[in-house]
Amino acid sequence: KLVASSPRAEQFDDRREVVLEAPDATLYDHEANLRWLLDADHGLYHMASEVMELEDNVVVTRSVEGGNAVLLTEYLRIDNPAGRATTDHPVTLKSPGSVTHARGMTGWFDERIRVTADSARLDDNQGTAIYRGNVKVRQGGTLLTADRVDVYRSAAGLDRIDARGQPATYYRPATDTESEVNARALLI
């Protein structure tokens, strides 16, 4: 959910838009109990699509372990119904102990990976997790379904995910820079 305020807002009913001067907004993910604070010099809210465009000196801040994570860019499009933020402009991501520079990005407000299955076997010593029966793995708008999913981790992080099914399916929604992916196979 997006809540915004501005010292000056001008609503245009015929275009179903609100022009915002120095908007300041908060994005809430109540399910994950997360909050992002957004500031920019200018904003445009499209009432019909519930999309907010932020321009010039865009700053997004979120509290993380050890401090704040901050995203800096000159343009950010927030698609509230899709739960997605995108930009094709340069971005700087700062978090405690690291700085990353990139050209463009797409992010979902809730990036947690959620797994549901009939059964699970976890082995931390081996770095494996095996999920069986009606497996669904969700992250943002991405969905993987399978009869069995094997996850392999190392000290460096996630190594590989194997999904098997009759068929297994993988769906990733389209973004401003990437096409939709809709795959079906016995092994993904």
Side-chain angles (χ1 to χ4, degrees):
K1 181 181 176 182
L2 178 69
V3 177
S5 65
S6 173
R8 182 164 188 259
E10 192 171 359
Q11 184 169 328
F12 298 92
D13 289 331
D14 57 328
R15 297 189 321 235
R16 301 200 29 101
E17 294 178 341
V18 180
V19 175
L20 304 162
E21 181 181 303
D24 127 11
T26 304
L27 246 172
Y28 295 97
D29 178 344
H30 294 289
E31 188 175 314
N33 196 28
L34 296 174
R35 182 176 64 160
W36 292 262
L37 305 175
L38 302 94
D39 291 296
D41 290 347
H42 304 96
L44 178 64
Y45 180 70
H46 304 274
M47 294 184 286
S49 61
E50 296 182 47
V51 168
M52 167 128 14
E53 295 180 73
L54 299 173
E55 289 187 291
D56 302 322
N57 299 312
V58 179
V59 179
V60 180
T61 306
R62 184 178 72 137
S63 179
V64 296
E65 188 174 322
N68 285 326
V70 179
L71 178 139
L72 306 167
T73 189
E74 288 302 307
Y75 174 83
L76 188 64
R77 181 179 189 273
I78 300 166
D79 185 334
N80 202 31
R84 183 173 60 224
T86 57
T87 184
D88 58 358
H89 289 65
V91 296
T92 300
L93 300 164
K94 297 179 180 182
S95 61
S98 71
V99 175
T100 303
H101 300 281
R103 173 81 183 169
M105 62 133 245
T106 297
W108 279 265
F109 306 154
D110 182 3
E111 286 294 319
R112 293 181 305 153
I113 297 173
R114 295 184 177 124
V115 180
T116 59
D118 293 341
S119 68
R121 192 182 92 221
L122 309 173
D123 186 335
D124 282 339
N125 293 329
Q126 295 294 316
T128 61
I130 299 172
Y131 300 93
R132 295 177 191 244
N134 301 308
V135 184
K136 293 182 181 173
V137 181
R138 294 180 190 273
Q139 184 178 32
T142 301
L143 173 64
L144 173 71
T145 65
D147 298 323
R148 176 180 169 148
V149 171
D150 297 357
V151 179
Y152 302 91
R153 291 181 293 110
S154 68
L158 181 65
D159 286 333
R160 186 176 89 233
I161 297 176
D162 294 336
R164 293 175 175 80
Q166 298 295 323
T169 65
Y170 175 80
Y171 173 78
R172 186 193 71 214
T175 67
D176 292 340
T177 58
E178 297 177 319
S179 299
E180 174 184 273
V181 175
N182 202 350
R184 300 168 70 84
L186 297 177
L187 174 62
I188 296 177

